[in-house]
Amino acid sequence: MRIAILSRGPNLYSTRRLVEAGEAAGHEMHVVDTLRCYMSMATAQPQIHYKGEQLEGFDAVIPRIGASITFYGTAVLRQFEMQGVFPVNESVAISRSRDKLRSLQLLSRKGIGLPITGFANAPDDIPDLINMVGGAPLVIKLLEGTQGIGVVLAETRKAAESVIEAFMGLSANIMVQEYIEEAGGADIRCFVVDGKVVAAMKRQAAEGEFRSNLHRGGSAQLVRISKEERLTAIKAAKVMGLNVAGVDLLRSARGPLVMEVNSSPGLEGIEEATGKDVAAMIIRFIEKQARPHRTATRGARG
Ligand code: ADP
Ligand code: MG
């Protein structure tokens, strides 16, 4: 098969591993820089051009679209979908997962365990919003944040009010969340491919830190997950409409709580911590599923 990887960097670990795994299985792999794709549309003739040439003849496309280029990246992916190229994750599912509030609303509707989470627009509503999530200590998150940046633990009500006011003063979009203290600075990343958890790791925050992100000094190790955790991760990926997803769970006293569902989960941390060939599993999923025009949406319900 001819498989395109939409990625900004051919040297990124995840991109390299997908190229390797695809080539090892006998496929022709092409890394395509998402931001260098340009497109034209005419009735029933969606074209994609790349560095002066027309891109065509792909059987599947693996989107690795960074959070900062979601808008353009999903437009490029939609163009592939309109041509009938099979996407590992569909553009609509990626857009959905990038909107943290929308994601939580969808997960909540399907009865998936979540930390109590609130959001508000007006500073006057802050005191009541804090009550709604159960008071301090609580976690305040910038909606645009990644890698733990913009996630703040407010130990007291006063601290929470000040931080929320400061963020609102900067016109930042935030959400306020119940602090799951019993998680002990750890979270569980479940890597889901095609409705199965194919690898799972526990990330533990550095001493004195509550955020377990590897970028914040956290460390990762292989973990055995419970049946309930496995089913929660699978269901969360399904609700989001993602074939490949990184589902992050907090272990709480009332069971697994979904923190976020990532549509371009990195391979480096999970492959290192678990020793599993996750890239090959993604390639096998493509081999099993990719047929022309097999995407459910083809961008139509964009
Ligand atoms: P980001 O998208 O920046 O990674 P997260 O929402 O994943 O932001 O939060 C970063 C880390 O902070 C999580 O991996 C987790 O360890 C910790 N954390 C986030 N929310 C909570 C919470 N409600 N209770 C306890 N710990 C949390
Ligand atoms: Mg995270």
Side-chain angles (χ1 to χ4, degrees):
M1 286 200 264
R2 280 186 88 220
I3 301 174
I5 304 173
L6 279 181
S7 164
R8 296 238 52 212
N11 297 321
L12 297 172
Y13 179 93
S14 302
T15 310
R16 275 195 289 110
R17 288 283 303 116
L18 287 163
V19 168
E20 253 170 47
E23 287 177 349
H27 304 297
E28 194 183 313
M29 306 299 291
H30 294 264
V31 178
V32 176
D33 181 350
T34 318
L35 293 185
R36 294 293 306 274
C37 291
Y38 47 104
M39 303 162 282
S40 71
M41 277 142 275
T43 308
Q45 282 188 338
Q47 293 191 354
I48 306 167
H49 287 254
Y50 187 63
K51 300 182 180 173
E53 313 230 323
Q54 195 173 325
L55 281 187
E56 54 191 347
F58 285 102
D59 300 294
V61 52
I62 306 177
R64 303 277 326 163
I65 296 168
S68 61
I69 62 157
T70 301
F71 183 75
Y72 196 80
T74 50
V76 172
L77 181 58
R78 265 195 306 278
Q79 198 81 353
F80 278 96
E81 291 169 359
M82 286 159 70
Q83 293 182 345
V85 180
F86 177 78
V88 161
N89 279 331
E90 291 184 17
S91 55
V92 277
I94 295 172
S95 306
R96 197 184 279 143
S97 76
R98 292 287 159 85
D99 180 336
K100 291 195 187 187
L101 295 181
R102 187 175 176 201
S103 301
L104 290 174
Q105 286 167 331
L106 285 167
L107 295 167
S108 139
R109 198 176 69 188
K110 296 291 179 181
I112 292 171
L114 301 173
I116 303 169
T117 307
F119 50 101
N121 179 249
D124 287 351
D125 298 321
I126 294 173
D128 198 35
L129 184 72
I130 293 177
N131 293 337
M132 279 168 66
V133 304
L138 54 80
V139 177
I140 301 153
K141 297 185 186 183
L142 276 178
L143 289 197
E144 293 80 21
T146 54
Q147 305 179 346
I149 297 167
V151 178
V152 180
L153 173 60
E155 313 251 10
T156 65
R157 189 181 182 94
K158 269 274 147 278
E161 284 176 358
S162 312
V163 174
I164 296 170
E165 270 167 19
F167 278 152
M168 281 183 165
L170 295 167
S171 303
N173 289 311
I174 54 163
M175 61 189 190
V176 177
Q177 200 164 67
E178 162 196 19
Y179 175 51
I180 308 299
E181 190 167 8
E182 65 270 27
D187 75 348
I188 310 287
R189 158 62 59 96
C190 298
F191 205 107
V192 179
V193 178
D194 195 17
K196 285 188 248 353
V197 176
V198 298
M201 65 175 166
K202 179 177 178 172
R203 293 177 298 201
Q204 181 68 52
E207 192 66 38
E209 171 64 68
F210 81 105
R211 298 166 299 178
S212 62
N213 303 69
L214 303 182
H215 287 96
R216 306 269 71 75
S219 55
Q221 65 181 87
L222 180 76
V223 70
R224 268 193 75 86
I225 56 170
S226 69
K227 185 173 176 200
E228 192 188 6
E229 288 164 344
R230 184 159 44 82
L231 295 178
T232 300
I234 292 168
K235 190 167 173 191
K238 179 157 186 245
V239 168
M240 301 305 297
L242 294 167
N243 300 310
V244 171
V247 181
D248 294 340
L249 303 175
L250 289 170
R251 284 183 162 163
S252 83
R254 59 178 193 276
L257 306 179
V258 174
M259 219 172 14
E260 61 179 347
V261 184
N262 195 316
S263 56
S264 286
L267 297 181
E268 187 165 14
I270 196 86
E271 289 196 337
E272 268 172 20
T274 66
K276 300 222 166 112
D277 191 346
V278 176
M281 300 186 204
I282 295 173
I283 299 296
R284 272 204 291 283
F285 163 69
I286 294 172
E287 292 167 348
K288 210 171 94 192
Q289 292 291 335
R291 307 279 180 281
H293 299 284
R294 206 170 198 188
T295 145
T297 57
R298 264 171 273 149
R301 279 182 275 136

